[in-house]
Amino acid sequence: YLFEGDQNIEHKNRLNLGLGLGYNITENWGVEALFNFVDSAKQKTAGGNNEFDGFLYRLEALYHFLPANALVPYIAIGAGNLDINPEMGKHDDTFGASYGVGVKYFVSESVALRLDARHFIGFDQGLDESNHTNNNLLYTGGLTFLMGGHKPAPAPRDSDGDGVTDDLDKCPDTPKRVQVDASGCPLDSDGDGVPDYLDKCPATPKGVTVNSMGCELDSDGDGVFDSSDKCPNTPKGADVNEKGCPLDSDGDGVFNYLDKCPGTPKGVMVDEKGCSLSFTLQIEFDFDKADVRPIYHDKIAEAAAFIRKYPAPQILIAGHTDDQGDDNYNKTLSQLRAESVREYLIDKFGISANKLVARGYGESQPIDTNATNEGRQNNRRVEVTCCTVIPK
């Protein structure tokens, strides 16, 4: 114990002994009640030297740094009283405050070496019989013994290292560095049953069936997921629309992958291959004539049989001429030729008149050259076409 230099003491540095009792409130905070005995000192007086003993009582709060380590530094602050008890003369009490530092080194769980340094500030009149503050220092070394308390429970294990302890982990074998929920199971953001770290399609809509990679199923492989596919059994390789149904580009009712005649005009009746159901009967006429020649009666009978087999709503009977003569005259002549065949079908075969439409196209649609007699003969004709759209 070091008394301040201006205190009326012959030897300023005195041996002291101490004893304390403490309580650890938390791992960091503790309180201690301390007693120190200052060995006999001599007070200088006019009549000689009076011996006295000092008794220092303190109550301090301690804050420990790194409490889990073997070497534990700490700071302390408190208040106390220094009782100066001369064997002869005046009895002095000095109230004061104390603060300082210390360190503990644990040699076992319950025993530690300890070093302390304190600054004790006495506020009352002291041995020098003055009213100024005295600043004394206290240095101690000793042992600390821990009693009572309990050992902390061992930290719960986290076998898979996902941040969720084994006692709470519902998925104890999660791969390393995989994000998990509060139960320790891998996240599945889109709720498709495939965890995010395996999910190649992380934004799958709710409720859809997915494969092992978290992607929607496309059972028929047409590029449209099953959840949106209105035609789930499309053959492999067939072109489909956004609903997964095969395309029918010409609108004839036969899908493109089956259609052997992909450019069929709209409204034309077609067979299962997408080709028009048509029968074209070419009937040639004599020059400037509209009468049906007898050699074509059997051909017209074949046309009637075809019409009955495929009962289309309307049958087009188109008349044509060569380029000899006036355009308007030729158009009239072609109309007469078409009507001649129409009447023959009605009269001879009982075809409904409402079903047969006669149209004259004049010289506008030649099928051969008009530069030769043979070519002009070919152009003088009537075509009976089944299952087509009749132009207005």
Side-chain angles (χ1 to χ4, degrees):
Y1 190 94
L2 277 66
F3 290 95
E4 189 173 5
D6 59 2
Q7 289 178 282
N8 191 18
I9 299 174
E10 181 177 353
H11 299 291
K12 305 295 183 182
N13 188 347
R14 308 304 303 166
L15 179 67
N16 80 89
L17 300 174
L19 184 66
L21 182 65
Y23 181 76
N24 289 331
I25 302 171
T26 68
E27 284 189 340
N28 297 97
W29 286 101
V31 293
E32 290 183 346
L34 301 156
F35 166 74
N36 289 88
F37 169 73
V38 181
D39 195 14
S40 298
K42 292 185 178 181
Q43 181 183 16
K44 296 177 182 180
T45 63
N49 294 328
N50 294 326
E51 291 189 357
F52 69 90
D53 294 323
F55 303 95
L56 178 61
Y57 308 91
R58 289 172 293 139
L59 182 65
E60 292 184 339
L62 282 68
Y63 182 81
H64 299 87
F65 300 94
L66 308 174
N69 290 2
L71 186 66
V72 183
Y74 58 90
I75 58 175
I77 187 169
N81 190 73
L82 177 62
D83 184 3
I84 302 301
N85 187 18
E87 294 183 359
M88 296 181 295
K90 185 177 179 181
H91 174 82
D92 289 318
D93 283 322
T94 300
F95 174 76
S98 65
Y99 68 92
V101 297
V103 64
K104 299 175 186 177
Y105 178 73
F106 283 85
V107 295
S108 71
E109 289 188 355
S110 58
V111 179
L113 301 175
R114 173 171 174 162
L115 295 174
D116 287 89
R118 299 289 189 274
H119 179 194
F120 181 76
I121 306 170
F123 300 123
D124 298 337
Q125 182 175 340
L127 296 175
D128 54 0
E129 299 183 354
S130 66
N131 290 324
H132 73 270
T133 299
N134 292 317
N135 294 278
N136 296 341
L137 300 176
L138 175 68
Y139 300 98
T140 60
L143 293 173
T144 289
F145 300 92
L146 298 181
M147 298 173 291
H150 61 278
K151 293 183 179 180
R157 293 187 62 195
D158 178 13
S159 301
D160 55 8
D162 60 3
V164 179
T165 55
D166 291 354
D167 57 323
L168 300 175
D169 201 332
K170 304 298 184 184
C171 303
D173 299 320
T174 305
K176 299 294 183 184
R177 294 181 293 279
V178 170
Q179 288 186 308
V180 299
D181 57 20
S183 298
C185 293
L187 296 180
D188 177 14
S189 302
D190 55 8
D192 60 3
V194 178
D196 289 355
Y197 77 97
L198 296 175
D199 202 330
K200 303 301 183 183
C201 303
T204 307
K206 298 292 184 183
V208 303
T209 305
V210 299
N211 59 21
S212 59
M213 295 186 293
C215 296
E216 288 192 63
L217 296 181
D218 177 16
S219 302
D220 55 8
D222 59 4
V224 178
F225 295 130
D226 288 358
S227 61
S228 302
D229 202 332
K230 303 302 181 183
C231 302
N233 298 315
T234 305
K236 299 293 184 183
D239 292 332
V240 298
N241 58 20
E242 68 278 0
K243 296 181 180 180
C245 293
L247 296 179
D248 176 16
S249 302
D250 56 9
D252 59 4
V254 178
F255 297 129
N256 287 359
Y257 74 95
L258 296 173
D259 201 333
K260 302 303 181 182
C261 301
T264 306
K266 299 293 183 181
V268 171
M269 188 179 296
V270 297
D271 59 18
E272 67 278 0
K273 296 182 180 180
C275 297
S276 62
L277 290 171
S278 63
F279 182 90
T280 301
L281 174 64
Q282 184 168 328
I283 303 174
E284 298 178 1
F285 291 84
D286 293 330
F287 176 75
D288 198 27
K289 298 292 183 179
D291 300 327
V292 178
R293 296 162 65 184
I295 62 173
Y296 292 110
H297 289 179
D298 291 341
K299 291 290 185 181
I300 296 175
E302 292 178 11
F306 179 82
I307 293 170
R308 290 193 180 99
K309 183 178 179 181
Y310 300 103
Q314 287 184 314
I315 303 297
L316 175 64
I317 302 173
H320 304 276
T321 69
D322 58 25
D323 67 348
Q324 302 298 303
D326 179 72
D327 287 349
N328 291 332
Y329 179 80
N330 285 337
K331 189 168 186 181
T332 300
L333 178 60
S334 65
Q335 181 68 33
L336 292 174
R337 288 174 175 173
E339 290 176 356
S340 178
V341 174
R342 176 177 180 271
E343 293 299 325
Y344 191 90
L345 286 168
I346 295 171
D347 294 342
K348 299 296 183 180
F349 300 99
I351 306 298
S352 172
N354 294 331
K355 198 172 189 179
L356 302 177
V357 178
R359 292 287 171 84
Y361 292 95
E363 59 188 70
S364 63
Q365 298 180 12
I367 61 171
D368 204 343
T369 179
N370 282 305
T372 66
N373 289 330
E374 183 180 357
R376 287 192 293 271
Q377 180 64 56
N378 289 335
N379 289 333
R380 298 192 295 269
R381 71 198 188 279
V382 167
E383 294 174 344
V384 179
T385 304
C386 171
C387 315
T388 188
V389 176
I390 307 301
K392 293 184 178 180

